[in-house]
Amino acid sequence: MLKKLNLKCDTMDIPQKYKAYTKKKITFGFILLIVLFLSAIYALCVGDYKLTVNQVVNVLMGYETGNINLVIWNIRLPRIFAAIIAGMSLAVSGAVMQCILRNPLASPFTMGISHGAMFGAALAIILLGFGGAESTGRIFINNPYMITVFAFLGALIGVVVILLLAKLRGLTPEAMILAGVAMSSLFTAGTMLIQYFADDLQLAAMVYWTFGDLGRPLWTEIYIMTAIMIPALIYFIYKRWDYNALEAGEEAAKSLGVNTERTRLIGMLIASLLTSVNVAFLGIIGFVGLICPHIVRICIGGDYRFLIPISALFGSVLLLIADTFARTIIAPIVLPVGILTSFLGAPMFLYLLLKMYKK
């Protein structure tokens, strides 16, 4: 009788426990929003041209003109928005790919998608003349739309090859990562071949483009990145239940009515598009898609209803803080943020690799 009463009490407590569990996840998301807002304000204030919070607010309200206005609207705000959009895109792409491929090491960087996009962008920049460098050292883009298209086609080649190998040869998740490494090497070799035949200015543009840097995009590029990121994020959130079903296994997902092959294909294509757009405008920013989903899983669990939007927020916070640190650590020299994220991501990758093989 006592056992029955205890069981009944536990059953009655389940809704309250679930509400408390959900509330913790939502609270974590709100904390990230606050951190993102404060990080953006700090990023607007620091740099070679130091500003106060009052000056920043006056510029944003339209009360200031002159140099302060130019610094905020033409240099720092585009950089901050680029960090937020790229962080969201890469983090969400990594979270979805880890679910689709059922591999904790999957990300746009480790699967070769970033390198494929870099190869496509290199073809457009060097061979077709859609971008380059001036003698003054300024990097420019003539046709951002075509560079994005070529970057997407390069990323698509890598995705199609890996998915075909997985389907035809039944590759394990570990083997798919190795296939991604092989595709990365192939695309890197192709990019180096293009660099070998480039002239001095083209070579300077290419080498600079391989570094992930958030200082390149202007408002036009920001609009393009935003126009692609928002629908993709909405689609991933809409498919959150399908991704939860995939986490339970192929057969379980099919029994729940999920078209697993179509879900995987569309998810990989959209993740590739998000990655290619960022690479086309920013260069390769590695390991954001690997680090962010794992840290979010540790904090709130693996429920994709919360994992996708909170990974997007965490990616924005991580990339914005990393870029602010890269701008100020050895000022006035500005380090490319891709170097910093690689330093952070490489130890995390090794840790996950050892943990996976230990299991």
Side-chain angles (χ1 to χ4, degrees):
M1 185 69 178
L2 187 59
K3 288 182 179 179
K4 287 182 179 180
L5 287 172
N6 289 334
L7 182 61
K8 188 176 181 181
C9 291
D10 291 340
T11 306
M12 291 174 64
D13 288 341
I14 288 175
Q16 285 78 13
K17 289 180 180 179
Y18 180 75
K19 286 181 181 178
Y21 182 60
T22 303
K23 189 177 179 181
K24 286 181 181 179
K25 297 179 180 183
I26 296 172
T27 303
F28 184 70
F30 275 115
I31 291 171
L32 285 177
L33 270 176
I34 294 169
V35 173
L36 180 62
F37 176 75
L38 295 177
S39 301
I41 296 296
Y42 181 74
L44 285 171
C45 294
V46 299
D48 292 339
Y49 200 101
K50 293 187 180 299
L51 300 171
T52 64
V53 176
N54 287 334
Q55 286 176 315
V56 169
V57 172
N58 288 334
V59 169
L60 296 178
M61 296 294 290
Y63 300 144
E64 290 277 357
T65 57
N67 291 337
I68 298 177
N69 201 55
L70 291 174
V71 168
I72 292 291
W73 287 103
N74 293 354
I75 299 175
R76 292 187 184 170
L77 267 180
R79 192 178 190 108
I80 289 169
F81 275 105
I84 292 171
I85 297 164
M88 284 187 174
S89 301
L90 295 172
V92 170
S93 297
V96 171
M97 289 177 65
Q98 287 163 16
C99 173
I100 289 172
L101 302 176
R102 301 196 66 193
N103 193 314
L105 300 179
S107 73
F109 186 77
T110 56
M111 295 300 296
I113 296 175
S114 295
H115 296 86
M118 185 69 244
F119 174 72
L123 282 175
I125 291 167
I126 303 301
L127 298 184
L128 302 179
F130 290 140
E134 297 176 348
S135 57
T136 58
R138 187 180 74 88
I139 307 298
F140 64 89
I141 296 176
N142 289 331
N143 194 327
Y145 303 100
M146 287 306 298
I147 290 179
T148 302
V149 170
F150 272 79
F152 176 61
L153 291 175
L156 194 61
I157 292 171
V159 170
V160 169
V161 169
I162 293 171
L163 291 179
L164 282 177
L165 287 173
K167 185 174 180 61
L168 297 176
R169 295 295 179 183
L171 295 183
T172 62
E174 293 82 2
M176 291 178 74
I177 291 293
L178 295 177
V181 172
M183 294 304 298
S184 298
S185 300
L186 182 63
F187 286 127
T188 301
T191 305
M192 291 174 67
L193 182 65
I194 296 172
Q195 290 176 353
Y196 183 77
F197 290 103
D199 60 34
D200 291 343
L201 289 178
Q202 290 175 331
L203 182 61
M206 280 295 304
V207 172
Y208 181 65
W209 221 275
T210 57
F211 299 130
D213 183 35
L214 299 175
R216 301 172 199 164
L218 301 175
W219 286 111
T220 302
E221 288 81 30
I222 298 296
Y223 296 148
I224 296 171
M225 292 167 64
T226 305
I228 293 173
M229 185 272 292
I230 291 175
L233 184 60
I234 292 171
Y235 171 80
F236 287 141
I237 293 174
Y238 173 73
K239 300 292 285 184
R240 62 196 183 278
W241 287 108
D242 290 354
Y243 298 137
N244 278 337
L246 282 173
E247 283 287 295
E250 186 86 11
E251 296 301 322
K254 287 182 177 179
S255 67
L256 291 170
V258 178
N259 189 331
T260 56
E261 292 186 0
R262 187 174 66 184
T263 300
R264 285 197 169 94
L265 179 61
I266 296 175
M268 287 296 289
L269 289 176
I270 295 177
S272 302
L273 178 60
L274 282 175
T275 304
S276 61
V277 170
N278 285 279
V279 171
F281 298 139
L282 308 175
I284 296 177
I285 300 176
F287 293 109
V288 173
L290 179 69
I291 296 171
C292 296
H294 283 291
I295 295 177
V296 173
R297 279 191 187 93
I298 292 170
C299 295
I300 66 164
D303 188 343
Y304 277 82
R305 294 177 301 162
F306 302 97
L307 181 65
I308 290 174
I310 292 178
S311 290
L313 284 174
F314 192 83
S316 298
V317 170
L318 177 68
L319 197 55
L320 181 56
I321 291 175
D323 182 61
T324 305
F325 187 67
R327 286 196 296 118
T328 56
I329 184 174
I330 52 172
I333 298 172
V334 178
L335 287 176
V337 72
I339 296 174
L340 209 61
T341 57
S342 294
F343 272 118
L344 291 171
M348 183 73 171
F349 181 84
L350 293 174
Y351 167 75
L352 292 171
L353 187 66
L354 293 173
K355 186 177 179 181
M356 188 175 72
Y357 274 96
K358 186 178 179 181
K359 287 184 179 179

